[in-house]
Amino acid sequence: MMFLANLVPMPPLASQHGQDVDRLINYLHWLMLVLFIGWGAYFIYVLFRFRQTKTPKANHLGAQTNAPKVLELVVAGIETLLLLAFALPMWAKLTDPKNIPSGQAATQVRVTAEQFQWNFRYPGPDGVFGRQDISLVSPSNPLGYDESDPAAKDDITPPMGEMHVPVGKPVVVRLTSKDVIHSFKVVAFRTTQDAIPGVPATFQFTPTRVGRYMITCAQLCGNGHAKMAGYVVVDTEEDYKKWLAERSKAGVATSFE
Ligand SMILES: [Cu+2]
């Protein structure tokens, strides 16, 4: 396993679950190597086995056994089993709201993608996000925040393009989009999640290393797509608190001024 990782090094890793992703990528590459060698060897065998001198006349009827059909059914059966017994239950468990840390157990962030920027919103000390309403959307309030909602009073909207999180604590991202489909991708965290207007998606990761990591948009979303970068800054607990305190002093509407 090490051999492949050394040959084609993975990008730096900065999240807890990322090891599993890397391990899966490694397994898949070994599997592909086995398939490549297997099919390559079979191809050479067939070239030799059905050479012209041995079989001068082609047999247009092909295989006369049931083996290929049976094999196809077995493969389809195994794939159905993998999907129903493993993939779907695993996905259901991962996305079950019961398994998403709530309140102070995680850093809660709302991320709203737009052409070609990333908006962030934190719930503030009360841990509750203020209301958002489509009827409040206006040029000065493009995301429809209801600032009269008591829960919104302490909400924090940092300047666009950069979000901060403390190291070692789960981060729960509630992701949506203001206009078209975007995708929140941070390679170092091994996370990719589509941002679909009207269909909020929740996902989580736990950053393991202090640093500044680029968010790239992973869905072609318009002519500014390539420049749609943002940053996740992973701070020490102390630096994060300092940043949050500065943000809440700066007020709520900083990002649209
Ligand atoms: Cu985008």
Side-chain angles (χ1 to χ4, degrees):
M1 210 55 80
M2 283 314 292
F3 160 73
L4 258 191
N6 292 340
L7 204 65
V8 189
M10 287 290 183
L13 176 66
S15 79
Q16 221 167 57
H17 75 274
Q19 291 171 9
D20 295 337
V21 176
D22 288 2
R23 209 170 295 137
L24 181 65
I25 291 172
N26 253 321
Y27 282 138
L28 285 176
H29 278 83
W30 279 109
L31 180 65
M32 280 189 279
L33 186 68
V34 169
L35 288 176
F36 176 73
I37 291 172
W39 282 114
Y42 180 69
F43 176 61
I44 291 166
Y45 162 75
V46 165
L47 282 182
F48 176 76
R49 167 72 179 75
F50 298 102
R51 64 191 184 279
Q52 199 189 12
T53 49
K54 209 175 173 215
T55 44
K57 200 157 185 291
N59 173 5
H60 295 288
L61 288 174
Q64 295 298 295
T65 71
N66 262 338
K69 211 180 283 171
V70 171
L71 216 59
E72 281 295 329
L73 284 173
V74 168
V75 169
I78 291 173
E79 281 174 358
T80 309
L81 189 77
L82 283 177
L83 188 68
L84 295 181
F86 295 96
L88 289 182
M90 215 180 275
W91 182 248
K93 196 180 149 204
L94 275 175
T95 53
D96 188 342
K98 281 202 299 273
N99 295 323
I100 306 280
S102 59
Q104 304 295 343
T107 308
Q108 313 279 345
V109 194
R110 264 193 191 161
V111 179
T112 308
E114 69 171 77
Q115 288 172 321
F116 301 96
Q117 271 279 20
W118 299 96
N119 300 279
F120 306 108
R121 179 105 159 163
Y122 292 75
D126 68 352
V128 181
F129 286 103
R131 215 168 59 89
Q132 263 177 294
D133 193 325
I134 196 163
S135 67
L136 296 171
V137 170
S138 69
S140 63
N141 185 12
L143 298 178
Y145 292 128
D146 180 0
E147 302 299 357
S148 68
D149 181 3
K153 287 279 177 281
D154 63 349
D155 285 9
I156 294 161
T157 307
M160 278 177 163
E162 195 173 277
M163 61 178 270
H164 284 236
V165 293
V167 70
K169 189 178 176 182
V171 178
V172 173
V173 176
R174 281 157 224 281
L175 181 68
T176 184
S177 168
K178 207 179 101 181
D179 37 44
V180 300
I181 299 177
H182 301 274
S183 184
F184 181 100
K185 185 182 191 83
V186 180
V187 172
F189 300 152
R190 310 291 192 266
T191 52
T192 307
Q193 172 64 56
D194 273 6
I196 302 170
V199 188
T202 303
F203 66 96
Q204 55 171 313
F205 59 89
T206 304
T208 52
R209 277 165 62 183
V210 169
R212 192 163 183 264
Y213 305 99
M214 192 190 255
I215 308 165
T216 46
C217 181
Q219 286 284 8
L220 188 57
C221 59
N223 59 7
H225 166 69
K227 287 184 183 156
M228 189 170 164
Y231 288 91
V232 179
V233 178
V234 180
D235 286 327
T236 59
E237 179 72 39
E238 203 175 83
D239 285 349
Y240 173 69
K241 282 201 174 121
K242 217 184 290 169
W243 176 82
L244 213 53
E246 275 165 23
R247 283 299 123 219
S248 51
K249 255 185 283 165
V252 169
T254 45
S255 75
F256 305 116
E257 284 166 4

